[in-house]
Amino acid sequence: MTRVLDCLVTFGHLTKTDDIYALTDKGALFSSDHPDSVLPMVLHLTHIWQNWHHLTETVRRGTNPHRQSVVHSGSEALTAFIGAMHVVGKNLARDIAASLNLSPFKQLLDIGGASGTYTIAFLERQPSLRAVIYDLPEVLPMAQKRLEAHSLLNRVRLVAGDFYKDPLPTGCDLALLSAIIHQNSHEENLALYRKIHDVLEPGGCLLIRDHIMEPDRTHPPAGALFAINMLVNTQGGDTYTFEETKAALQEAGFRTVAWVRKGPQMDCLVQAFVSDHA
């Protein structure tokens, strides 16, 4: 244990004085007591480590025969995953919300909205906007807690369901798929796009936030690495080019598909509209 602690001192996470260790400001971020704790992300990475452990066999076979689902592997893994998504998304969500004109929209459908990170950012950006968060029953209490902390629960309806199997809520004119399409195969995304197209109000808009790859699939670099993450951690997930995403959206019935934001993180945005005609 002393060797581990000494190593953490060298990385600046701890100080050591007379064999007594204490957290630095940098190290305090790993504490569950810190308001900006990154501990959920650390715990999430420990859960996916076993899937990465089988990378060599996965490359040889084309699929991971030992894959363990993060979402369905138990409450501890799911809680860490949802928390990790908030850690990486809380600042990015505000940045993305600030880059959008949300004034034309009345109600957001946040599909797989997790603990509400993007819903909160959108609602704080546009005071007239209301929202529906749609996610698994065990996730919604996490969203309720975070919405209550931001005094936004009165503007949000929480709906339980599995977007792979269950109907989506209706009555919304803006839908968000935030960090969703990379976990799906092409066929799963096409089916999901069709479901969204069918429930959005006429003239409604779908926003996709994800890694959107250039045609050669090497840029953005983080997206190329994330494609390997999906290889070991999902059944058919991948990172997709804009051309692939656009073709699938158009096949599902969407029109005016545009790549409206590019970025090095998972901060690319694709926008698609439903026809004004019902």
Side-chain angles (χ1 to χ4, degrees), residues 142-161:
M142 304 180 214
Q144 180 172 340
K145 182 178 180 181
R146 200 174 300 284
L147 289 165
E148 287 175 340
H150 286 263
S151 301
L152 288 171
L153 189 57
N154 63 327
R155 292 170 58 193
V156 181
R157 183 162 59 98
L158 302 175
V159 180

Side-chain angles (χ1 to χ4, degrees), residues 44-54 233:
H44 172 57
L45 292 176
T46 66
H47 289 129
I48 67 173
W49 172 253
Q50 285 303 317
N51 288 335
W52 272 93
H53 175 71
H54 299 288
N233 281 291

